[in-house]
């Protein structure tokens, strides 16, 4: 029991470092262990912005009705949701069904509070492998994704035209830097992104880190140094503003929305804001150092079923999960949340309805989970030194090489 308590406390610390990077929001009380086939089932999600009258709120309620029960849904802030889930498990009153941010899945699994989808009989065969990979540990999946969001590069068509830049020419780091040089020569501002000292900073740096061929287990590799050097060169040359050090993804977007910047690295969740920006925009994928699509990190949530003392409740919980992740509900949910669906069939329907989603579907196809590749709960203790290194290098506190060497040492100590 002491061992379990220590694990839960350690996991609480890990969850605290994983902040949602894409604006979400979910809460509630644990299950009562009453009659399994009827009564009330609790559902927690990270969407406090959606009340019971919202499309999402009604969809969750309807899935409960179809399963023959009433669903009591609560929305918490993403970080608060992870912490409350761990505490609820410790107290033996976890919710019946829970929607959680994908990096948190591995933390909850380590704490021993999530069921395997295979044990529940949930079919995940149609899910895109790199999307479900964010919730897979040691070959077993512990939840069903409802969709994914990720990063790409928005561009201002008017500025690129005035600067003589063809967005189709942006195919690698050299061509993107050349485009930024043309934009600067035309008297315009270059690119804005978030390099803040939180998970958002790591999230935005990862496409460049991975796009250079770097690996999160080797933070000071030559490839990692190349990625951080690229960002530093942009800041030093004035192609990116110095305030990227303080920018969240929201404030970075606000800079782009002024119409003064040629490019912005940001997420799928800004599409609705892009439509309201007042200028023509386009989207290109983040390029790898030498071309091709850079791997981008997946955002998005997984529907999970926490461990219950009354295992008879799982049958109804499974019905709720199956309902929420049906093709029709995925299409409705992901369209409303501006997510790319986790299945090819629903993705095709999304693009048919909104062709502007095509580059995002392509970006998600190249994406990978932050906790994938066996990292699991090691990711938070790698991410924090990584964003610290980015801050140190961009502020001029140390060279990219030295900053990443310090990060690698810190990550090794934290893991070991």
């Amino acid at each position: 029991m002491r061992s379990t308590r220590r694990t839960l406390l350690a996991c609480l610390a890990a969850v605290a470092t994983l902040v949602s990077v894409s604006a979400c929001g979910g809460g509630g009380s644990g299950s009562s262990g009453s009659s399994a086939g009827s009564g009330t089932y609790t559902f927690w999600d990270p969407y406090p912005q959606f009340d019971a009258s919202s499309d999402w709120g009604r969809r969750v309620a309807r899935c409960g009705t179809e399963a023959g029960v009433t669903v009591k849904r609560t929305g918490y802030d993403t970080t608060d949701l992870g912490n409350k889930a761990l505490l609820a498990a410790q107290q033996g009153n976890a919710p019946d069904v829970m929607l959680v941010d994908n990096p948190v899945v591995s933390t909850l699994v380590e704490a021993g509070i999530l069921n395997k989808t295979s044990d529940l009989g949930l079919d995940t065969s149609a899910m895109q492998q790199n999307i479900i990979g964010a919730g897979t540990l040691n070959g077993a999946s512990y939840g069903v994704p409802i969709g994914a969001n990720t990063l790409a590069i928005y561009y201002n068509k008017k500025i690129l035209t005035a600067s003589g830049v063809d967005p189709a020419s942006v195919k690698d780091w050299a061509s993107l830097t050349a485009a930024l040089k043309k934009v600067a020569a035309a008297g315009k501002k270059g690119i804005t992104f978030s390099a803040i000292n939180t998970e958002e900073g790591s999230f935005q740096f990862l496409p460049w880190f991975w796009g250079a061929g770097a690996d999160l287990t080797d933070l000071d590799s030559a490839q990692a140094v190349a990625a951080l050097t690229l960002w530093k060169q942009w800041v030093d040359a004035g192609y990116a503003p110095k305030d990227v050090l303080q920018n969240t993804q929201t404030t970075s977007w606000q800079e782009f929305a002024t119409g003064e910047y040629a490019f912005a690295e940001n997420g799928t969740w800004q599409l609705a804001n892009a439509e309201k920006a007042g200028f023509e925009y386009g989207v290109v994928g983040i390029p790898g150092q030498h071309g091709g699509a850079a791997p981008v990190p997946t955002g998005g949530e997984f529907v999970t079923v926490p461990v219950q003392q009354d295992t008879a409740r799982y049958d109804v919980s499974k019905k709720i999960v199956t309902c929420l992740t049906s093709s029709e509900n995925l299409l409705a949910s992901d369209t409303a949340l501006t997510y790319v669906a986790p299945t090819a069939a629903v993705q095709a329907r999304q693009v048919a309805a909104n062709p502007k989603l095509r580059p995002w579907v392509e970006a998600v196809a190249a994406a990978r989970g932050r906790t994938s590749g066996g990292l699991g709960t090691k990711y938070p203790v790698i991410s924090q030194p990584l964003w610290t290194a980015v801050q140190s290098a961009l502020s001029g506190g140390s060279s990219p090489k030295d900053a990443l060497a310090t990060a690698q040492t810190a990550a090794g100590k934290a893991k070991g």
Side-chain angles (χ1 to χ4, degrees):
M1 207 56 189
R2 285 181 184 171
S3 175
T4 301
R5 180 178 176 82
R6 281 197 300 269
T7 299
L8 285 165
L9 290 173
C11 290
L12 278 166
V15 168
T17 70
L18 289 171
V19 180
S20 173
V21 295
S22 61
C24 292
S29 61
S31 62
S32 63
S34 59
S35 177
S38 61
T40 299
Y41 275 61
T42 51
F43 180 93
W44 294 359
D45 66 35
Y47 307 144
Q49 70 271 34
F50 298 137
D51 62 20
S53 66
S54 67
D55 287 344
W56 172 253
R58 291 198 300 269
R59 194 167 300 124
V60 172
R62 187 166 59 250
C63 283
T65 299
E66 291 179 8
V69 298
T70 298
V71 170
K72 180 182 178 183
R73 171 187 165 260
T74 314
Y76 289 113
D77 169 80
T78 298
T79 303
D80 197 27
L81 173 60
N83 289 333
K84 280 185 166 53
L86 290 165
L87 288 171
Q90 186 178 15
Q91 295 163 359
N93 61 350
D96 291 289
V97 181
M98 186 164 56
L99 189 68
V100 297
D101 194 22
N102 73 72
V104 178
V105 172
S106 60
T107 302
L108 300 180
V109 170
E110 183 170 282
I113 67 173
L114 293 184
N115 282 290
K116 295 178 182 178
T117 55
S118 58
D119 290 345
L120 296 166
L122 288 164
D123 182 11
T124 61
S125 59
M127 300 295 161
Q128 198 164 293
Q129 286 304 302
N130 65 325
I131 296 179
I132 199 169
T136 300
L137 283 89
N138 300 319
S141 65
Y142 287 84
V144 184
I146 63 164
N149 52 32
T150 195
L151 297 166
I153 297 176
Y154 290 85
Y155 62 85
N156 183 314
K157 291 185 177 181
K158 183 178 179 180
I159 290 179
L160 293 198
T161 299
S163 304
V165 173
D166 178 0
S169 70
V170 177
K171 296 182 180 299
D172 53 22
W173 291 3
S175 56
L176 177 54
T177 301
L180 290 170
K181 186 175 182 179
K182 285 185 177 182
V183 167
K188 306 294 184 181
K189 295 181 179 180
I191 186 168
T192 179
F193 50 86
S194 171
I196 195 169
N197 58 337
T198 69
E199 176 60 22
E200 289 190 49
S202 290
F203 189 76
Q204 290 237 319
F205 183 60
L206 281 173
W208 313 96
F209 182 88
W210 284 333
D215 189 281
L216 284 169
T217 61
D218 188 9
L219 295 182
D220 58 350
S221 67
Q223 294 88 345
V225 172
L228 188 48
T229 298
L230 177 73
W231 269 21
K232 180 168 175 56
Q233 288 173 342
W234 287 352
V235 171
D236 289 350
Y239 298 158
K242 293 186 182 301
D243 65 10
V244 296
L245 286 163
Q246 292 82 43
N247 268 346
T248 64
Q249 291 180 117
T250 297
T251 57
S252 172
W253 178 262
Q254 290 167 349
E255 287 183 331
F256 181 68
T258 64
E260 297 177 358
Y261 282 83
F263 298 100
E265 178 186 352
N266 224 296
T268 326
W269 54 91
Q270 300 291 6
L271 275 172
N273 290 327
E275 293 294 332
K276 298 183 292 187
F279 55 82
E280 283 193 277
Y281 75 94
V283 177
V284 295
I286 298 175
Q289 181 177 12
H290 302 297
V296 285
T298 51
E301 286 85 37
F302 278 65
V303 193
T304 65
V305 177
V307 172
Q308 302 291 338
Q309 291 182 346
D310 182 4
T311 59
R313 298 181 71 83
Y314 294 153
D315 285 342
V316 170
S317 296
K318 174 186 173 181
K319 291 177 182 178
I320 295 170
V321 175
T322 300
C323 175
L324 286 172
T325 55
S326 69
S327 292
E328 291 305 317
N329 279 330
L330 283 176
L331 180 63
S333 297
D334 292 346
T335 299
L337 297 171
T338 323
Y339 277 3
V340 172
T343 68
V346 180
Q347 287 174 2
R349 294 173 66 183
Q350 286 182 298
V351 172
N354 181 6
K356 289 184 177 180
L357 283 174
R358 184 174 300 280
W360 294 103
V361 170
E362 293 171 352
V364 165
R368 65 177 66 161
R370 284 163 278 172
T371 58
S372 297
L375 283 183
T377 55
K378 298 184 184 74
Y379 175 73
V381 298
I382 293 171
S383 178
Q384 186 164 355
L386 182 61
W387 80 56
T388 302
V390 171
Q391 285 265 310
S392 180
L394 298 191
S395 66
S398 58
S399 69
K401 183 177 181 180
D402 290 344
L404 288 167
T406 298
Q408 179 62 26
T409 300
K413 288 180 179 177
K415 288 187 291 182

